[in-house]
mmCIF file of all heavy atoms in Angstrom:
data_model
loop_
_atom_site.group_PDB
_atom_site.id
_atom_site.type_symbol
_atom_site.label_atom_id
_atom_site.label_comp_id
_atom_site.label_asym_id
_atom_site.label_seq_id
_atom_site.Cartn_x
_atom_site.Cartn_y
_atom_site.Cartn_z
ATOM 1 N N LEU H 20 90.689 73.942 99.406
ATOM 2 C CA LEU H 20 92.095 73.909 99.803
ATOM 3 C C LEU H 20 92.323 73.004 101.010
ATOM 4 O O LEU H 20 93.359 72.344 101.112
ATOM 5 C CB LEU H 20 92.579 75.333 100.100
ATOM 6 C CG LEU H 20 92.720 76.247 98.872
ATOM 7 C CD1 LEU H 20 92.945 77.691 99.303
ATOM 8 C CD2 LEU H 20 93.860 75.780 97.976
ATOM 9 N N ASP H 21 91.347 72.967 101.927
ATOM 10 C CA ASP H 21 91.444 72.044 103.074
ATOM 11 C C ASP H 21 91.606 70.610 102.574
ATOM 12 O O ASP H 21 92.447 69.850 103.079
ATOM 13 C CB ASP H 21 90.187 72.132 103.945
ATOM 14 C CG ASP H 21 90.122 73.416 104.757
ATOM 15 O OD1 ASP H 21 91.181 74.052 104.937
ATOM 16 O OD2 ASP H 21 89.010 73.791 105.184
ATOM 17 N N TYR H 22 90.788 70.256 101.593
ATOM 18 C CA TYR H 22 90.859 68.900 101.037
ATOM 19 C C TYR H 22 92.230 68.670 100.397
ATOM 20 O O TYR H 22 92.864 67.621 100.622
ATOM 21 C CB TYR H 22 89.754 68.717 99.996
ATOM 22 C CG TYR H 22 89.933 67.467 99.149
ATOM 23 C CD1 TYR H 22 89.571 66.211 99.636
ATOM 24 C CD2 TYR H 22 90.497 67.552 97.878
ATOM 25 C CE1 TYR H 22 89.745 65.067 98.877
ATOM 26 C CE2 TYR H 22 90.688 66.416 97.112
ATOM 27 C CZ TYR H 22 90.315 65.168 97.612
ATOM 28 O OH TYR H 22 90.507 64.048 96.860
ATOM 29 N N LEU H 23 92.685 69.616 99.592
ATOM 30 C CA LEU H 23 93.968 69.477 98.904
ATOM 31 C C LEU H 23 95.101 69.269 99.904
ATOM 32 O O LEU H 23 95.921 68.347 99.750
ATOM 33 C CB LEU H 23 94.237 70.716 98.059
ATOM 34 C CG LEU H 23 95.612 70.785 97.381
ATOM 35 C CD1 LEU H 23 95.715 69.725 96.291
ATOM 36 C CD2 LEU H 23 95.851 72.171 96.795
ATOM 37 N N ILE H 24 95.134 70.096 100.944
ATOM 38 C CA ILE H 24 96.199 69.998 101.948
ATOM 39 C C ILE H 24 96.167 68.637 102.633
ATOM 40 O O ILE H 24 97.219 68.036 102.922
ATOM 41 C CB ILE H 24 96.060 71.130 102.996
ATOM 42 C CG1 ILE H 24 96.242 72.508 102.338
ATOM 43 C CG2 ILE H 24 97.039 70.939 104.142
ATOM 44 C CD1 ILE H 24 97.576 72.734 101.713
ATOM 45 N N GLY H 25 94.965 68.150 102.885
ATOM 46 C CA GLY H 25 94.845 66.859 103.557
ATOM 47 C C GLY H 25 95.271 65.689 102.686
ATOM 48 O O GLY H 25 95.695 64.648 103.205
ATOM 49 N N GLU H 26 95.161 65.819 101.379
ATOM 50 C CA GLU H 26 95.458 64.717 100.461
ATOM 51 C C GLU H 26 96.920 64.674 100.008
ATOM 52 O O GLU H 26 97.429 63.614 99.657
ATOM 53 C CB GLU H 26 94.548 64.812 99.231
ATOM 54 C CG GLU H 26 93.080 64.519 99.508
ATOM 55 C CD GLU H 26 92.863 63.081 99.955
ATOM 56 O OE1 GLU H 26 93.459 62.179 99.331
ATOM 57 O OE2 GLU H 26 92.125 62.867 100.934
ATOM 58 N N MET H 27 97.585 65.817 99.981
ATOM 59 C CA MET H 27 98.956 65.852 99.479
ATOM 60 C C MET H 27 99.923 65.266 100.493
ATOM 61 O O MET H 27 99.766 65.447 101.714
ATOM 62 C CB MET H 27 99.375 67.295 99.158
ATOM 63 C CG MET H 27 98.648 67.911 97.972
ATOM 64 S SD MET H 27 99.128 69.645 97.697
ATOM 65 C CE MET H 27 100.776 69.448 97.020
ATOM 66 N N THR H 28 100.934 64.593 99.987
ATOM 67 C CA THR H 28 101.983 64.095 100.865
ATOM 68 C C THR H 28 102.944 65.244 101.181
ATOM 69 O O THR H 28 102.976 66.271 100.496
ATOM 70 C CB THR H 28 102.778 62.965 100.196
ATOM 71 O OG1 THR H 28 103.505 63.499 99.074
ATOM 72 C CG2 THR H 28 101.846 61.858 99.724
ATOM 73 N N THR H 29 103.735 65.041 102.211
ATOM 74 C CA THR H 29 104.711 66.069 102.572
ATOM 75 C C THR H 29 105.681 66.327 101.433
ATOM 76 O O THR H 29 106.017 67.482 101.131
ATOM 77 C CB THR H 29 105.493 65.631 103.828
ATOM 78 O OG1 THR H 29 104.569 65.432 104.905
ATOM 79 C CG2 THR H 29 106.516 66.686 104.224
ATOM 80 N N GLU H 30 106.114 65.296 100.757
ATOM 81 C CA GLU H 30 107.066 65.456 99.663
ATOM 82 C C GLU H 30 106.424 66.225 98.506
ATOM 83 O O GLU H 30 107.082 67.047 97.865
ATOM 84 C CB GLU H 30 107.564 64.092 99.188
ATOM 85 C CG GLU H 30 108.699 64.149 98.179
ATOM 86 C CD GLU H 30 109.995 64.722 98.745
ATOM 87 O OE1 GLU H 30 110.101 64.879 99.975
ATOM 88 O OE2 GLU H 30 110.905 65.021 97.938
ATOM 89 N N GLU H 31 105.151 65.961 98.237
ATOM 90 C CA GLU H 31 104.462 66.704 97.176
ATOM 91 C C GLU H 31 104.345 68.179 97.535
ATOM 92 O O GLU H 31 104.505 69.057 96.673
ATOM 93 C CB GLU H 31 103.072 66.100 96.941
ATOM 94 C CG GLU H 31 103.116 64.739 96.244
ATOM 95 C CD GLU H 31 101.773 64.021 96.277
ATOM 96 O OE1 GLU H 31 100.893 64.407 97.096
ATOM 97 O OE2 GLU H 31 101.602 63.059 95.499
ATOM 98 N N LYS H 32 104.077 68.446 98.791
ATOM 99 C CA LYS H 32 103.981 69.844 99.225
ATOM 100 C C LYS H 32 105.325 70.553 99.072
ATOM 101 O O LYS H 32 105.391 71.695 98.592
ATOM 102 C CB LYS H 32 103.517 69.910 100.683
ATOM 103 C CG LYS H 32 102.103 69.440 100.916
ATOM 104 C CD LYS H 32 101.797 69.404 102.418
ATOM 105 C CE LYS H 32 100.416 68.849 102.695
ATOM 106 N NZ LYS H 32 100.130 68.739 104.160
ATOM 107 N N ILE H 33 106.385 69.873 99.474
ATOM 108 C CA ILE H 33 107.715 70.468 99.367
ATOM 109 C C ILE H 33 108.054 70.777 97.912
ATOM 110 O O ILE H 33 108.662 71.805 97.604
ATOM 111 C CB ILE H 33 108.764 69.527 100.005
ATOM 112 C CG1 ILE H 33 108.621 69.551 101.536
ATOM 113 C CG2 ILE H 33 110.183 69.919 99.593
ATOM 114 C CD1 ILE H 33 109.506 68.558 102.253
ATOM 115 N N ALA H 34 107.603 69.906 96.998
ATOM 116 C CA ALA H 34 107.865 70.131 95.577
ATOM 117 C C ALA H 34 107.133 71.360 95.054
ATOM 118 O O ALA H 34 107.503 71.906 94.015
ATOM 119 C CB ALA H 34 107.454 68.902 94.773
ATOM 120 N N CYS H 35 106.103 71.809 95.782
ATOM 121 C CA CYS H 35 105.311 72.969 95.351
ATOM 122 C C CYS H 35 105.775 74.270 96.003
ATOM 123 O O CYS H 35 105.102 75.299 95.884
ATOM 124 C CB CYS H 35 103.839 72.738 95.656
ATOM 125 S SG CYS H 35 103.094 71.419 94.674
ATOM 126 N N LEU H 36 106.913 74.240 96.673
ATOM 127 C CA LEU H 36 107.454 75.469 97.261
ATOM 128 C C LEU H 36 108.246 76.279 96.239
ATOM 129 O O LEU H 36 108.802 77.321 96.559
ATOM 130 C CB LEU H 36 108.338 75.151 98.470
ATOM 131 C CG LEU H 36 107.609 74.611 99.694
ATOM 132 C CD1 LEU H 36 108.604 74.293 100.811
ATOM 133 C CD2 LEU H 36 106.569 75.620 100.187
ATOM 134 N N THR H 37 108.309 75.792 95.006
ATOM 135 C CA THR H 37 108.894 76.554 93.916
ATOM 136 C C THR H 37 107.748 77.255 93.183
ATOM 137 O O THR H 37 106.610 77.259 93.644
ATOM 138 C CB THR H 37 109.656 75.637 92.959
ATOM 139 O OG1 THR H 37 108.733 74.741 92.344
ATOM 140 C CG2 THR H 37 110.714 74.834 93.716
ATOM 141 N N THR H 38 108.032 77.821 92.002
ATOM 142 C CA THR H 38 106.961 78.456 91.240
ATOM 143 C C THR H 38 106.176 77.442 90.410
ATOM 144 O O THR H 38 105.224 77.811 89.730
ATOM 145 C CB THR H 38 107.523 79.539 90.306
ATOM 146 O OG1 THR H 38 108.542 78.960 89.489
ATOM 147 C CG2 THR H 38 108.102 80.679 91.103
ATOM 148 N N GLY H 39 106.567 76.193 90.466
ATOM 149 C CA GLY H 39 105.862 75.156 89.720
ATOM 150 C C GLY H 39 105.279 74.114 90.641
ATOM 151 O O GLY H 39 105.469 74.148 91.859
ATOM 152 N N CYS H 40 104.536 73.212 90.069
ATOM 153 C CA CYS H 40 104.056 72.063 90.828
ATOM 154 C C CYS H 40 104.160 70.837 89.926
ATOM 155 O O CYS H 40 104.069 70.948 88.704
ATOM 156 C CB CYS H 40 102.626 72.266 91.325
ATOM 157 S SG CYS H 40 101.366 72.235 90.044
ATOM 158 N N PRO H 41 104.362 69.656 90.512
ATOM 159 C CA PRO H 41 104.517 68.440 89.702
ATOM 160 C C PRO H 41 103.164 67.845 89.344
ATOM 161 O O PRO H 41 102.119 68.268 89.828
ATOM 162 C CB PRO H 41 105.276 67.515 90.656
ATOM 163 C CG PRO H 41 104.767 67.921 92.014
ATOM 164 C CD PRO H 41 104.540 69.407 91.952
ATOM 165 N N ASP H 42 103.208 66.869 88.465
ATOM 166 C CA ASP H 42 102.014 66.067 88.190
ATOM 167 C C ASP H 42 101.635 65.290 89.444
ATOM 168 O O ASP H 42 102.477 64.615 90.045
ATOM 169 C CB ASP H 42 102.291 65.068 87.065
ATOM 170 C CG ASP H 42 102.099 65.672 85.691
ATOM 171 O OD1 ASP H 42 101.069 66.324 85.470
ATOM 172 O OD2 ASP H 42 102.991 65.502 84.845
ATOM 173 N N ILE H 43 100.382 65.404 89.858
ATOM 174 C CA ILE H 43 99.836 64.563 90.930
ATOM 175 C C ILE H 43 98.538 64.003 90.359
ATOM 176 O O ILE H 43 97.450 64.550 90.544
ATOM 177 C CB ILE H 43 99.589 65.364 92.229
ATOM 178 C CG1 ILE H 43 100.853 66.142 92.631
ATOM 179 C CG2 ILE H 43 99.155 64.435 93.359
ATOM 180 C CD1 ILE H 43 100.667 67.041 93.844
ATOM 181 N N SER H 44 98.667 62.910 89.625
ATOM 182 C CA SER H 44 97.565 62.421 88.791
ATOM 183 C C SER H 44 96.343 62.019 89.605
ATOM 184 O O SER H 44 95.205 62.212 89.160
ATOM 185 C CB SER H 44 98.037 61.259 87.922
ATOM 186 O OG SER H 44 98.573 60.222 88.730
ATOM 187 N N ARG H 45 96.537 61.472 90.789
ATOM 188 C CA ARG H 45 95.379 61.002 91.550
ATOM 189 C C ARG H 45 94.477 62.174 91.966
ATOM 190 O O ARG H 45 93.285 61.996 92.227
ATOM 191 C CB ARG H 45 95.847 60.233 92.790
ATOM 192 C CG ARG H 45 96.451 61.078 93.870
ATOM 193 C CD ARG H 45 96.901 60.264 95.087
ATOM 194 N NE ARG H 45 97.313 61.125 96.180
ATOM 195 C CZ ARG H 45 98.461 61.787 96.218
ATOM 196 N NH1 ARG H 45 99.337 61.644 95.217
ATOM 197 N NH2 ARG H 45 98.759 62.567 97.242
ATOM 198 N N LEU H 46 95.050 63.396 92.027
ATOM 199 C CA LEU H 46 94.274 64.587 92.377
ATOM 200 C C LEU H 46 93.888 65.404 91.148
ATOM 201 O O LEU H 46 93.206 66.425 91.262
ATOM 202 C CB LEU H 46 95.067 65.471 93.347
ATOM 203 C CG LEU H 46 95.459 64.834 94.684
ATOM 204 C CD1 LEU H 46 96.293 65.789 95.518
ATOM 205 C CD2 LEU H 46 94.200 64.413 95.449
ATOM 206 N N GLY H 47 94.362 64.953 89.988
ATOM 207 C CA GLY H 47 94.067 65.688 88.763
ATOM 208 C C GLY H 47 94.934 66.912 88.573
ATOM 209 O O GLY H 47 94.600 67.798 87.774
ATOM 210 N N ILE H 48 96.042 66.973 89.287
ATOM 211 C CA ILE H 48 96.937 68.125 89.185
ATOM 212 C C ILE H 48 97.961 67.866 88.087
ATOM 213 O O ILE H 48 98.679 66.867 88.122
ATOM 214 C CB ILE H 48 97.647 68.382 90.528
ATOM 215 C CG1 ILE H 48 96.628 68.757 91.604
ATOM 216 C CG2 ILE H 48 98.702 69.480 90.372
ATOM 217 C CD1 ILE H 48 97.228 68.888 92.992
ATOM 218 N N ARG H 49 97.984 68.758 87.100
ATOM 219 C CA ARG H 49 98.975 68.675 86.031
ATOM 220 C C ARG H 49 100.151 69.590 86.359
ATOM 221 O O ARG H 49 99.981 70.647 86.968
ATOM 222 C CB ARG H 49 98.354 69.126 84.702
ATOM 223 C CG ARG H 49 97.354 68.134 84.135
ATOM 224 C CD ARG H 49 96.545 68.772 83.017
ATOM 225 N NE ARG H 49 97.394 69.446 82.035
ATOM 226 C CZ ARG H 49 96.919 70.226 81.073
ATOM 227 N NH1 ARG H 49 95.614 70.435 80.962
ATOM 228 N NH2 ARG H 49 97.740 70.793 80.201
ATOM 229 N N ALA H 50 101.329 69.154 85.940
ATOM 230 C CA ALA H 50 102.512 69.987 86.153
ATOM 231 C C ALA H 50 102.302 71.353 85.501
ATOM 232 O O ALA H 50 101.830 71.455 84.368
ATOM 233 C CB ALA H 50 103.752 69.313 85.572
ATOM 234 N N SER H 51 102.624 72.400 86.232
ATOM 235 C CA SER H 51 102.466 73.749 85.712
ATOM 236 C C SER H 51 103.402 74.676 86.475
ATOM 237 O O SER H 51 103.979 74.299 87.494
ATOM 238 C CB SER H 51 101.015 74.231 85.858
ATOM 239 O OG SER H 51 100.679 74.342 87.226
ATOM 240 N N TYR H 52 103.562 75.873 85.971
ATOM 241 C CA TYR H 52 104.358 76.866 86.690
ATOM 242 C C TYR H 52 103.656 78.206 86.619
ATOM 243 O O TYR H 52 102.819 78.459 85.750
ATOM 244 C CB TYR H 52 105.761 76.980 86.090
ATOM 245 C CG TYR H 52 105.822 77.616 84.718
ATOM 246 C CD1 TYR H 52 105.958 78.994 84.568
ATOM 247 C CD2 TYR H 52 105.742 76.830 83.568
ATOM 248 C CE1 TYR H 52 106.005 79.571 83.313
ATOM 249 C CE2 TYR H 52 105.792 77.409 82.306
ATOM 250 C CZ TYR H 52 105.931 78.777 82.182
ATOM 251 O OH TYR H 52 105.976 79.355 80.929
ATOM 252 N N MET H 53 103.975 79.049 87.586
ATOM 253 C CA MET H 53 103.481 80.412 87.596
ATOM 254 C C MET H 53 104.676 81.340 87.453
ATOM 255 O O MET H 53 105.646 81.235 88.201
ATOM 256 C CB MET H 53 102.714 80.709 88.873
ATOM 257 C CG MET H 53 101.400 79.947 88.961
ATOM 258 S SD MET H 53 100.407 80.422 90.376
ATOM 259 C CE MET H 53 101.417 79.794 91.715
ATOM 260 N N GLY H 54 104.599 82.240 86.485
ATOM 261 C CA GLY H 54 105.706 83.149 86.265
ATOM 262 C C GLY H 54 105.791 83.551 84.817
ATOM 263 O O GLY H 54 104.867 83.320 84.027
ATOM 264 N N GLY H 55 106.890 84.160 84.460
ATOM 265 C CA GLY H 55 107.060 84.703 83.123
ATOM 266 C C GLY H 55 106.790 86.194 83.127
ATOM 267 O O GLY H 55 106.031 86.708 83.951
ATOM 268 N N GLU H 56 107.427 86.905 82.218
ATOM 269 C CA GLU H 56 107.352 88.359 82.202
ATOM 270 C C GLU H 56 106.221 88.853 81.315
ATOM 271 O O GLU H 56 105.834 88.199 80.344
ATOM 272 C CB GLU H 56 108.686 88.948 81.725
ATOM 273 C CG GLU H 56 109.900 88.473 82.526
ATOM 274 C CD GLU H 56 109.874 88.903 83.982
ATOM 275 O OE1 GLU H 56 109.128 89.854 84.311
ATOM 276 O OE2 GLU H 56 110.596 88.295 84.799
ATOM 277 N N ALA H 57 105.710 90.035 81.658
ATOM 278 C CA ALA H 57 104.634 90.634 80.861
ATOM 279 C C ALA H 57 104.611 92.149 81.061
ATOM 280 O O ALA H 57 103.553 92.752 81.178
ATOM 281 C CB ALA H 57 103.290 90.021 81.240
ATOM 282 N N ALA H 58 105.776 92.775 81.090
ATOM 283 C CA ALA H 58 105.860 94.206 81.372
ATOM 284 C C ALA H 58 105.114 95.032 80.341
ATOM 285 O O ALA H 58 104.404 95.983 80.677
ATOM 286 C CB ALA H 58 107.317 94.647 81.444
ATOM 287 N N HIS H 59 105.293 94.686 79.060
ATOM 288 C CA HIS H 59 104.567 95.413 78.004
ATOM 289 C C HIS H 59 104.191 94.461 76.869
ATOM 290 O O HIS H 59 104.256 94.789 75.695
ATOM 291 C CB HIS H 59 105.382 96.603 77.484
ATOM 292 C CG HIS H 59 106.751 96.264 76.966
ATOM 293 N ND1 HIS H 59 107.083 96.345 75.642
ATOM 294 C CD2 HIS H 59 107.889 95.872 77.595
ATOM 295 C CE1 HIS H 59 108.354 96.015 75.469
ATOM 296 N NE2 HIS H 59 108.858 95.714 76.649
#
Side-chain angles (χ1 to χ4, degrees):
L20 290 169
D21 287 341
Y22 167 79
L23 174 69
I24 297 298
E26 291 296 316
M27 292 177 73
T28 66
T29 301
E30 188 66 12
E31 288 168 343
K32 293 174 184 177
I33 287 174
C35 293
L36 291 178
T37 64
T38 54
C40 70
D42 275 312
I43 308 176
S44 56
R45 72 180 188 285
L46 300 177
I48 296 174
R49 288 167 49 189
S51 65
Y52 70 89
M53 292 186 292
E56 305 296 341
H59 56 111

